Amino acid sequence: MGIVQRNSITITILSYLGILIGYVNKILLLTNFLTEEQVGLVNILTGLAVLYAQFSALGINFSVVKFFPFFRTPDRRDNGFFFWSALGVGAGFVVFTVLFLAFREPVMAYYSKESPLLSEHYLMLIPLGLATLSYNFFSSWLQAFYKTVVTSFVNEILLRLLISIEISLYALRLITFEQFVVGYVLIYFVPAAILLVYMATIRQTRFRPVPVTPRVRRLLSITAVYGLWQYLGGASMYIVPIVDQTMLAGICGLAEGGIYTTIIYMTSAMQMPYRSIVKVSTPVVTNLWKERDMAGMQRIHRDVSLMNLIVGCFFFLAIWINLDNIFSLMPASYSAGRYVFLFLGLGRIFEMYAGLTGVILITSKRYRYDFTFSVLLVGMTVASNAALIPSLGMNGAAIATMSTVIVYNLIRIGFVWKFFRIQPFAATDCWIVLLTGAMVGLSALIPYLGNFILDAAVRTLVISLLFGATVYYTNASPQLNATLDGLLARIG
């Protein structure tokens, strides 16, 4: 856990600084200077760009992280792996863009009635998808080198600061909304460009092909097959988060979509530690498979799961008890998203509690089964959203997403347990959930203090101290306690 802890702590700090900047953007600036429809457009374009990038990548980013140790050579040419992976990603982008343009008319027709603004800006997805694809590709390479801090800084901090500047320009009426959208897309190229320059600086870019030996040819074929299966199986992880947003926009319009996607961002704060740990744990899990260290696999799986449960519950609690204060900073229409946060937040907590289940599965020899699970997940997501959105609107979309996330993770946990006898749960974890519920009830007893800053500060301080002290002094997570002790020791 050494390198995982060091890097994940740094990345988590950067992520929460980014979340703070992002909250200013999403909660204060976007909601107060753009209409709900315009907020929905910006948020959905960003989500669709992630989907665009993942389909274009053809699973190559997964392959880079898993197979780079087998291609690595002392001369840093790495058997031409960078060249072949870059070529594959470029070809994938061209193919997917052709398909994207071929289906342009029916997609635009679907959104033309309820979400005409999205239909008008449909083609902006091409450059935004390219920018996202480029960042993901370079990020996967740096992850393989265990250099994840730089990627987090440019994406979590720098990108959001640039967006803050652009929103401010629009708020001051120095640019039009059309110029805002164009600038928003161009900003997303900045992180990718910085990562490319950084990789060139550390001499890890090789755009020239290297003669392929029979061994490397066989390894490339194995890598391609693995990438294809990850592409098919992992596609659901990028389709599902955007299904509810796009279906809600198509059925109920961009206004509800704007509120819904803003609440989604509020839940993203809960998952930052989870994403950070997964990012730095993936190469560690890969090495554990290589060494056949199943005891080490169980240990890191359990540690990550318990830490995620505690941190997820804490941040859910911190946001839930302050929802009224947060909504007071936004137009009144956004308060309709209260129960959207509840349902999505519960789903995210369970997803975090599943620990490294997904990483263990997709890096194992049984990774092909993830494709079946993913198809099932997509089917459940589409069906549940289609059933619930027409009658319940954004709340229906949130319930559908929560349900499918829980079912999907339970299926994968059961599969990993059956074949590898690895699982993340313990009966003693139930008291963490009970403690969270008790803190929610206690917060309801604290009267509103008349000023949202004072109220948020007092409410958060009281609940955080009680929750944190209880978890710490009961030694619920030795790994979490060790991390906190280390941080306190550095502070002095």
Side-chain angles (χ1 to χ4, degrees), residues 36 40 43-44 48 110-111 113-116 118 240-264 336-337 340 344 381-382 384-401:
E36 287 88 344
N43 291 341
I44 290 177
L48 287 173
Y110 175 74
Y111 289 108
K113 182 179 179 181
E114 296 293 338
S115 302
L118 180 57
V240 170
I242 199 66
V243 165
D244 50 359
Q245 303 174 38
T246 53
M247 291 185 69
L248 184 62
I251 296 172
C252 300
L254 272 179
E256 282 207 30
I259 297 172
Y260 186 81
T261 52
T262 300
I263 301 300
I264 287 178
V340 170
L344 291 180
T381 301
V382 173
S384 57
N385 275 279
L388 295 176
I389 289 177
S391 58
L392 298 176
M394 69 178 79
N395 289 329
I399 293 172
T401 298

Side-chain angles (χ1 to χ4, degrees), residues 343 347 377 380 384 388 398-408:
F343 298 128
L377 174 63
M380 289 191 301
S384 57
L388 295 176
I399 293 172
T401 298
M402 176 190 69
S403 303
T404 53
V405 165
I406 292 174
V407 171
Y408 174 67

